[in-house]
Amino acid sequence: MRNASQRNFSYMSARQVFEDSDTKRPLTMPHQGLLLFRMAPLCMLLGMLMVSCFNFCLCHKNSEFALTNPEKSSTKETERKETIAEEELEPKILEVFHPTHEWQALRPGQAVPAGSHVRLNLQTGAREVKLQDEDKFQTNLKGSKKGKRLDINTNTYTSQDLKDALAKFKEGAEMENSKEDQERQAKVKQLFRPIEELKKDFEELNVVIETDMQIMVRLINKFNSSSSSLEEKIAALFDLEYYVHQMDNAQDLLSFGGLQVVINGLNSTEPLVKEYAAFVLGAAFSSNPKVQVEAIEGGALQKLLVILATEQPLTTKKKALFALCSLLRHFPYAQQQFLKLGGLQVLRSLVQEKGMEVLAVRVVTLLYDLVTEKMFAEEDAELTQDMSPERLQQYRQVHLLPSLQEQGWCEITAHLLALPEHDAREKVLQTLGALLATCWDRFHQDTQLHKTLGTLQAEYQALAALELQEGEDEGYFQELLDSINSLLMELR
């Protein structure tokens, strides 16, 4: 009752104070009301202090009851998760977690060994790790030994896991590339057919695929058959010439006697058969020593000289001269037999024959080749000693230069310098230079040669000057002029 009366009194006293303040009457307050009025602010301060202490204690005891700003808290939580994610994606793991058979909490940034159990604790929100059971671990280990991949359901990836994933990505790319290659190969196979299928188709069409050897046998049989017409024989020789250009095919021609059949064709009464037979022999002799030896033993040299010495069409003699040149070049034994059989006399008659000027240049070219070939062979044998003694002895037995001098080839060559073609003059000038040491006396006394050289000198000086004006310092005509000047200086 006392407290109630006191509260009433205090209430009335406070009301009286405000009323007195409005009416500006003098304030009057009993002694107890004045004391309570002065202690009220102190009590309010004490209450606020107690509330603050209580909240502080609750925050330290359980963080779930802390008063925080929702917006700021969510932002900080997001930043914290991003930081943890970045730490987990680092290629290098700073700390390796060593699990046991009991569940243990996993801190951010720790690496989990392969084969461990990982779970998420829904109560605490933390990840926990422990070792696998022994029986399951042995089963997985056996699977790994068999080459199977261990599928571990975990949210933690190490740097090795990333490397394995990248390797599988590359394997997938290689598989795609291999698929593209297979598709491309399939397209190519559609464009081209296998040889086995083509052979079957040819057999159905009565077409047989033949080797070069089989073709040459068939052509020789066609040429040697008495039932073949002249056109068929010429066609067979024409086709045969294409195959014997190859060295192996020309040597295969010897294995079944085909070369001798063609050599015998030089005795034919038909000029066309002689012409194409010589054409085939010239192609087979070229740079083929084995065939050259068989040809000498088969009498090819004598038959070719007979064609050149007798009256024959120009085309036939051209092919015969072509075969003779192929037989003599780089074959010193054949050159010896050529001189013994009077080959130089045959060529001299050929050059002096009317209408054979075209063959004259070829003959001069052959003589130049034979002279320089022997000279170079003897020089190389002395310097390098690579040539066999037998081959060197054969070259030394070829007395070509004395035979040329005796049979008047010095004058014949000098008179050929009057040919109008520049190419022919070039060949003759080369031959005159090769024969200069042997024919110097004849050349020095030949006034017609000096006159021809003087005329050519003036002509080529003018042509060389035109070349010089066009910017050619060492042109074709200048080379011819140098050869003429050199001969004139030697013959003074």
Side-chain angles (χ1 to χ4, degrees):
M1 294 296 292
R2 182 181 179 183
N3 293 333
S5 61
Q6 290 178 354
R7 287 196 295 271
N8 292 331
F9 175 76
S10 301
Y11 174 74
M12 294 300 294
S13 301
R15 182 177 181 183
Q16 184 178 0
V17 170
F18 289 108
E19 289 178 353
D20 292 344
S21 62
D22 293 335
T23 56
K24 295 182 181 180
R25 287 182 293 182
L27 297 178
T28 61
M29 184 178 296
H31 177 73
Q32 292 180 352
L34 179 61
L35 180 61
L36 290 175
F37 180 79
R38 292 181 177 178
M39 292 179 64
L42 182 61
C43 293
M44 293 176 62
L45 180 62
L46 182 60
M48 294 176 62
L49 182 61
M50 292 177 66
V51 172
S52 300
C53 292
F54 181 72
N55 291 335
F56 180 77
C57 294
L58 289 178
C59 291
H60 282 275
K61 184 176 181 180
N62 191 351
S63 59
E64 294 180 357
F65 296 95
L67 298 177
T68 57
N69 189 341
E71 296 180 357
K72 295 182 178 179
S73 176
S74 61
T75 304
K76 292 181 179 179
E77 183 66 21
T78 304
E79 294 178 354
R80 184 178 64 84
K81 291 181 179 180
E82 291 178 355
T83 304
I84 294 174
E86 291 177 357
E87 291 177 355
E88 291 179 354
L89 292 177
E90 287 293 330
K92 295 183 179 179
I93 304 302
L94 300 178
E95 182 180 358
V96 179
F97 182 80
H98 300 284
T100 62
H101 292 284
E102 301 296 333
W103 289 106
Q104 296 181 1
L106 180 67
R107 295 195 304 271
Q110 288 184 323
V112 181
S116 302
H117 272 311
V118 180
R119 74 177 184 181
L120 179 64
N121 194 331
L122 299 178
Q123 296 179 356
T124 62
R127 289 182 296 174
E128 297 179 349
V129 185
K130 77 169 186 176
L131 293 176
Q132 287 190 15
D133 296 335
E134 187 174 357
D135 54 349
K136 294 182 179 180
F137 180 75
Q138 294 295 334
T139 302
N140 291 334
L141 183 60
K142 292 179 181 179
S144 64
K145 290 182 178 179
K146 293 180 181 179
K148 298 181 180 179
R149 182 178 179 273
L150 294 176
D151 294 329
I152 301 172
N153 186 12
T154 177
N155 295 326
T156 302
Y157 302 98
T158 63
S159 60
Q160 186 62 35
D161 294 334
L162 296 177
K163 291 180 181 178
D164 295 340
L166 182 60
K168 290 183 179 180
F169 177 76
K170 291 181 179 179
E171 291 177 0
E174 291 177 357
M175 292 178 63
E176 292 180 358
N177 293 335
S178 63
K179 291 181 180 178
E180 293 178 358
D181 294 339
Q182 292 176 0
E183 293 177 356
R184 184 166 55 252
Q185 291 178 2
K187 292 180 180 179
V188 173
K189 288 181 180 180
Q190 293 177 358
L191 297 176
F192 301 97
R193 301 173 59 190
I195 187 64
E196 291 77 11
E197 295 182 3
L198 293 176
K199 287 182 178 180
K200 292 180 181 179
D201 294 343
F202 286 142
E203 289 177 359
E204 294 176 357
L205 296 173
N206 294 326
V207 177
V208 181
I209 299 178
E210 298 176 308
T211 63
D212 289 354
M213 181 73 169
Q214 294 172 340
I215 294 174
M216 290 191 298
V217 171
R218 179 172 55 81
L219 293 176
I220 288 294
N221 292 334
K222 176 67 68 174
F223 170 71
N224 200 31
S225 176
S226 58
S227 61
S228 299
S229 63
L230 178 62
E231 290 77 10
E232 291 176 341
K233 291 184 177 182
I234 298 303
L237 291 175
F238 182 81
D239 293 339
L240 184 62
E241 187 271 340
Y242 170 78
Y243 289 97
V244 297
H245 271 291
Q246 300 182 18
M247 182 178 294
D248 295 338
N249 289 340
Q251 294 179 0
D252 291 339
L253 194 65
L254 305 176
S255 60
F256 60 92
L259 182 67
Q260 190 60 48
V261 173
V262 179
I263 292 175
N264 295 336
L266 296 176
N267 295 328
S268 176
T269 57
E270 293 291 338
L272 281 177
V273 174
K274 294 180 181 180
E275 176 183 346
Y276 282 91
F279 190 37
V280 173
L281 293 175
F285 295 159
S286 182
S287 301
N288 204 330
K290 186 176 181 180
V291 180
Q292 288 175 327
V293 172
E294 293 293 334
I296 287 291
E297 295 178 355
L301 179 60
Q302 294 89 332
K303 293 178 173 59
L304 291 172
L305 291 177
V306 169
I307 294 176
L308 293 174
T310 57
E311 185 177 356
Q312 300 290 339
L314 177 61
T315 55
T316 303
K317 290 193 174 184
K318 279 184 178 180
K319 294 297 189 294
L321 183 59
F322 163 66
L324 179 65
C325 293
S326 299
L327 182 60
L328 296 181
R329 286 190 175 96
H330 306 290
F331 191 14
Y333 178 77
Q335 296 174 17
Q336 295 178 26
Q337 299 302 315
F338 170 74
L339 295 177
K340 290 180 181 180
L341 294 174
L344 288 179
Q345 292 89 332
V346 173
L347 295 182
R348 182 180 61 185
S349 300
L350 181 65
V351 170
Q352 293 176 346
E353 186 179 351
K354 292 183 179 180
M356 297 296 173
E357 291 79 6
V358 177
L359 299 182
V361 178
R362 299 187 181 185
V363 170
V364 169
T365 304
L366 172 62
L367 296 179
Y368 171 78
D369 292 341
L370 297 179
V371 171
T372 55
E373 177 187 323
K374 179 184 177 181
M375 179 178 63
F376 291 149
E378 292 177 350
E379 291 179 356
D380 292 342
E382 293 178 358
L383 295 175
T384 62
Q385 297 181 355
D386 291 338
M387 187 178 297
S388 63
E390 181 180 359
R391 187 174 180 82
L392 179 60
Q393 186 65 25
Q394 290 179 356
Y395 271 114
R396 289 176 177 174
Q397 291 177 0
V398 178
H399 305 292
L400 180 60
L401 288 175
S403 299
L404 290 173
Q405 184 181 16
E406 292 174 1
Q407 298 182 23
W409 278 98
C410 297
E411 292 81 5
I412 294 173
T413 307
H415 293 164
L416 291 175
L417 194 60
L419 293 173
E421 295 82 8
H422 298 295
D423 182 67
R425 293 173 182 177
E426 179 186 7
K427 302 294 179 54
V428 173
L429 287 172
Q430 291 177 349
T431 307
L432 290 176
L435 298 176
L436 184 60
T438 303
C439 302
W440 188 87
D441 293 336
R442 305 286 178 89
F443 292 162
H444 183 70
Q445 297 174 1
D446 192 344
T447 56
Q448 183 63 34
L449 176 61
H450 286 272
K451 183 179 178 180
T452 303
L453 289 174
T455 304
L456 295 177
Q457 184 182 33
E459 179 181 352
Y460 287 117
Q461 281 178 349
L463 295 174
L466 293 176
E467 284 182 337
L468 187 60
Q469 291 178 1
E470 295 176 357
E472 298 182 13
D473 296 337
E474 296 180 357
Y476 176 72
F477 297 118
Q478 182 62 45
E479 292 180 358
L480 294 179
L481 179 60
D482 293 340
S483 299
I484 294 172
N485 293 334
S486 177
L487 281 174
L488 289 174
M489 290 182 62
E490 294 290 338
L491 295 176
R492 287 180 181 175

